[in-house]
Amino acid sequence: MNNIILLPVLIPIMVGILLIFLRYFGRTQAWFSIATMALTAGIAFYLLEKVQHEGIQRLDFGGWAPPFGISFVADSFSLLLVLTTSIVALICLMYALFSTGKLLQSMYYYPSVLFLVAGVNGSFLTGDLFNLFVCFEVMLLSSYVLLTLGGSKRQLREAIKYVVINIVSSWFFLVGLAYLYGAVGTLNMAHLSVRVAEAGQGPLLTTISIVFMIVFSLKAGLLLYYWLPGSYSTPPAVTSALFGALLTKVGIYALFRVFSLIFNQQPEITHTIISVMAALTLIGGSLGAVAHNDIRKIAAYNVVIAVGFILVGLAVSTPNAIEGAIYYLIHDMVAKALLFLVVGTVIALTGTAQLNKMSGLMKNYPLLGWSFFITMLSLAGVPPLSGFIGKVLISEGAIESGAYMLLTLSLLSSLFVLYSLLRIFKNSFWGETIISKEDQVPLNNRFLVPCLLLVLLTIAIGVGTEGLSVYVTDAAETLLNPDIYIDAVLEGAQP
Amino acid sequence: METIIILLVGVLTSVAIYLLLAKSLIRVILGTAILSHAVHLLILTMGGLKEGTVPLLGEEAESYVDALPQALILTAIVISFAVTAFILVLAYRAYQELGTDDLNEMRGVNDE
């Protein structure tokens, strides 16, 4: 029992409620939420350290021992993601502090962001499948609000699509939960793992697992990503950054958790489907990224490519690949937030999102140009930036298990990432400047500082991989040996 | 009893899917509402429709009802209420801005 695990969810919700009463004090709201995220990050780091020394922590609500009550379980994997979420949200909020107008701030922008973070953190920490659904919904409802704030025609149209798709996928989630409860009679993830192993994962359970796969793939943007580019490219830049960094990652987390812990008996079916979906996602994402002329769309398709890449790690499931996937997950949260913030800044400066209408920004805004350059290298996986180690380990894993097709596709996709971003770099930053000294919109440092912080973070993750590796190795070990998780959750309880 | 409820779930789901595929936005919303009702009934049925008393120790009855599915659908109903309320407001705003509730016509809006 460890009550601190609840805090990364509880604190954002409590502060969010408080901020509702501070509706007309935009700055105060921003500083409050930034402080909240810093506090959450601190708590996540404290817990991460604690897990290294004392093993997996858990909290049984109301003292109901698992498998009967609802429980929160914190292992290294979830805490690493909670920590990254808090840090990324912190930096995005710094950007929001100066980029969002008075109108947006008085429409409960900051409370919505805090509720979103609470939902994301809750999804990472929960040890119960139904609770995962609830946290998903908390996250999704906040994301609906964030997506529609501003209320432009485009936003409303994309939001309808996004909301309906998510309602249908939540419906599938409930259907899966109903069948799973009917089949094995429990919803606690560790207990499910035990029950599924006892029953042997027959055709029925495999079918149920595929229902879950569809649900999480929809949320993660694995193969079923049709909704993603539209809805991620319409809201304000900082909202897209939050979405790109956090939302799909929750789906990926759920896929990793469910298919490494619960449905791990028939990898020849489930993991094959995942690998096919990952391959198709890589292809589709790559094509989308090079096809578009709108820089927001290009950035959104880069999210899709990354999802495919991380899921290659799960499909292969060797120790190296899982470890690589965790590194890449952390890297991608940072780098995607950075990419969307830089792209958003470019749009704010030039007033257009069309690639062929901008040129020579490097001359006017050198620092922004170089941060985009570093983002590009980081996403393409150039050492010593953060994407490198993940790519190497996933590729090693693919070689070990002989998945050469996946290996080829994932490496080719890196080239497509590089090409699509180089197109932005070449067209918008390089070349003859078309903005004269008089017309130049001054780039406010307040926009630049959050971007530079993320650049520093991506360099720090790349250079300081060794410091991070303790936690990542532990996280990968827990994912590969479900027994560690099960023992920690069910200890002292009669299953 | 289970068979009848499962059939009902099937009917509700097909009605909902018919509505979801409609052009009019308000029908789509009604579709999502019916869809969630269908799944709530499904959860209740999958937990087993037993006859028995409330699961309290003092009752000393022969059989008890499983309380968990009811707790689950209670939560799910609240969430689907919230989502339905949101999407109704969204539809109203979209109607105000876009001037139509026909999903096909919305595609033609050009302000990019």
Side-chain angles (χ1 to χ4, degrees), chain A residues 19 62 70 74 93 262 286 302 368 387 419 427 434:
Chain A
L19 290 190
I70 296 171
L93 281 167
I262 302 173
S286 303
N302 270 295
L368 185 69
Y419 173 69
N427 276 326
I434 49 172

Side-chain angles (χ1 to χ4, degrees), chain A residues 194-269:
Chain A
V194 175
R195 285 271 173 95
V196 170
E198 275 169 6
Q201 193 183 328
L204 177 65
L205 283 173
T206 308
T207 314
I208 295 172
S209 79
I210 291 171
V211 174
F212 280 111
M213 195 192 292
I214 293 171
V215 176
F216 297 143
S217 305
L218 259 168
K219 313 257 182 201
L222 175 70
L223 188 57
L224 311 162
Y225 55 78
Y226 178 71
W227 55 273
L228 195 149
S231 43
Y232 278 26
S233 59
T234 47
V238 49
T239 312
S240 320
L242 276 171
F243 281 17
L246 307 182
L247 288 194
T248 53
K249 306 303 176 289
V250 178
I252 296 173
Y253 167 82
L255 278 170
F256 268 85
R257 189 55 93 201
V258 166
F259 285 95
S260 70
L261 181 66
I262 302 173
F263 301 111
N264 50 11
Q265 311 284 322
Q266 281 210 311
E268 66 274 15
I269 297 177

